[in-house]
Amino acid sequence: MNKNRIAFIDLAKGLCISIVMLFHIRGITPDSCPLSPVVFTACMLPPFYFLSGYFFREETTMRQFFLKKANRLLVPFVFFYLTTAVLIPNILHYMFGMSFNTVVGWPSLWAFVWPGQYPNIPLWFLWCLFVMNMLFRSILALSRLLVARNWMGTTAILCVGCTFLGCYAKSTLDTDIANIFEALINLPFFVVGFLLGQKDFIARMDAACPAVKMVLIGIAFGFSLLSCLIVDDNKVWINTLIYYVSGLAGTFLILSISSIIVKLPLISYLGKYSIITVLTHGIMVRMGTQYFLKVSTVINPNIAVIAFWTVM
């Protein structure tokens, strides 16, 4: 199978990015979309981390790898950050008095270091994905240097260590620094994707009979539902474990459903250009929220959310 473009992968990414948009607009009114956050977190970001690991390819040198990832992730992040999180918000603030409840002025140039301090918040995902790719590439190189015969096992151990470090840091500190902890915490999804990529998991899934896919959907849905039922806000480490279980379940759920449907108009298109959607939908939410808040006062809040999501 050609891994460069697989139809149902575009659909899977399209479904995930649609869930991301729904997640970001679900709170426009207090009573809207009363679904557990676990339902969203299981199916929106873990599949992206998994797919990034699955399609991970080493370059000849670290420099070549850096240039490739910088071109795909860092350059779009820098461009959209400077325009949608620095230039335009500052112009609107100082010339038109518009407030974004975020950092303005010169500090906005480095506000991305502190999560949530800049207007176009979803941009963090590209930066996080860039950090994760560079981290994993470094761990892979170190593993092959230290233990050439069992580099895969060494890589897994080092990644688990990084994950524990990230979980501990995020549970003890009040903030994340440049989303480094977020990259460490989500590294397991990337690693699982990479390991299954060595076994052509997606090709095998695509070739599986519909009955097998339906069984996988049932199992994945069951784990996702179970995770929603046992989540406990007072137990950080248990919630972290639940996040991994539900995230993997949500990933396989999205992939299984997508492998059956294969393609949907618009949703597959969004998946093909999911990075652009990530970069632009945050500003759309900020621009449209005030109007849909007014709509939600005359119609059901859930209908207002779905209408907002459909327009976006």
Side-chain angles (χ1 to χ4, degrees):
M1 175 179 289
N2 182 7
K3 290 186 178 182
N4 291 326
R5 179 60 57 191
I6 305 172
F8 85 83
I9 296 301
D10 285 338
L11 175 58
K13 292 192 293 184
L15 291 173
C16 291
I17 197 62
S18 299
I19 295 172
V20 169
M21 290 192 293
L22 182 60
F23 176 80
H24 286 153
I25 67 176
R26 81 191 196 289
I28 63 173
T29 63
D31 301 321
S32 64
C33 213
L35 293 176
S36 168
V38 179
V39 175
F40 290 101
T41 56
C43 297
M44 61 181 190
L45 294 183
F48 281 115
Y49 296 127
F50 174 91
L51 290 172
S52 183
Y54 185 89
F55 291 106
F56 178 88
R57 295 292 178 270
E58 285 187 84
E59 302 300 324
T60 306
T61 64
M62 180 67 80
R63 180 178 179 275
Q64 289 177 327
F65 182 81
F66 172 83
L67 291 175
K68 178 180 178 180
K69 293 302 176 182
N71 182 61
R72 182 168 176 79
L73 299 172
L74 200 56
V75 170
F77 168 80
V78 171
F79 174 79
F80 276 87
Y81 182 82
L82 291 177
T83 53
T84 64
V86 178
L87 182 62
I88 294 175
N90 276 286
I91 290 175
L92 293 176
H93 176 74
Y94 287 108
M95 296 185 65
F96 301 97
M98 188 176 295
S99 176
F100 290 89
N101 296 319
T102 55
V103 174
V104 293
W106 288 110
S108 61
L109 287 172
W110 54 84
F112 73 93
V113 174
W114 312 110
Q117 295 299 309
Y118 48 94
N120 195 356
I121 295 176
L123 292 179
W124 74 267
F125 177 72
L126 261 71
W127 170 259
C128 184
L129 206 57
F130 174 77
V131 171
M132 189 180 295
N133 271 274
M134 296 308 301
L135 175 64
F136 185 75
R137 177 64 175 81
S138 300
I139 290 175
L140 205 58
L142 181 62
S143 300
R144 286 180 169 158
L145 179 64
L146 296 177
V147 189
R149 292 185 177 181
N150 190 24
W151 62 268
M152 190 173 292
T154 306
T155 298
I157 292 173
L158 290 175
C159 288
V160 169
C162 289
T163 299
F164 272 106
L165 178 62
C167 291
Y168 176 78
K170 192 169 185 178
S171 65
T172 54
L173 299 178
D174 292 333
T175 186
D176 193 352
I177 302 174
N179 295 113
I180 301 298
F181 302 153
E182 196 71 27
L184 292 174
I185 290 171
N186 287 284
L187 195 57
F189 300 117
F190 191 99
V191 174
V192 171
F194 172 76
L195 294 177
L196 291 181
Q198 308 303 301
K199 305 295 182 182
D200 280 334
F201 171 78
I202 287 179
R204 295 172 186 270
M205 172 181 284
D206 191 38
C209 67
V212 173
K213 295 178 182 179
M214 291 303 296
V215 170
L216 188 58
I217 288 174
I219 295 174
F221 179 77
F223 272 107
S224 298
L225 183 61
L226 179 64
S227 299
C228 296
L229 295 175
I230 63 177
V231 66
D232 186 342
D233 293 335
N234 297 318
K235 298 178 180 179
V236 176
W237 289 97
I238 291 179
N239 284 349
T240 301
L241 180 60
I242 291 172
Y243 173 61
Y244 292 133
V245 173
S246 62
L248 287 175
T251 297
F252 294 134
L253 179 64
I254 291 291
L255 288 175
S256 300
I257 292 174
S258 300
S259 68
I260 293 176
I261 301 175
V262 181
K263 188 175 183 179
L264 284 175
L266 182 60
I267 303 299
S268 295
Y269 181 85
L270 285 177
K272 186 176 181 179
Y273 299 103
S274 56
I275 288 182
I276 295 298
T277 312
V278 169
L279 294 168
T280 56
H281 81 276
I283 293 298
M284 294 173 65
V285 170
R286 285 186 175 272
M287 293 174 60
T289 295
Q290 57 180 320
Y291 302 106
F292 279 88
L293 274 173
K294 297 178 181 178
V295 172
S296 68
T297 61
V298 294
I299 65 174
N300 182 280
N302 287 317
I303 296 178
V305 168
I306 297 300
F308 192 2
W309 177 76
T310 303
V311 170
M312 288 179 62

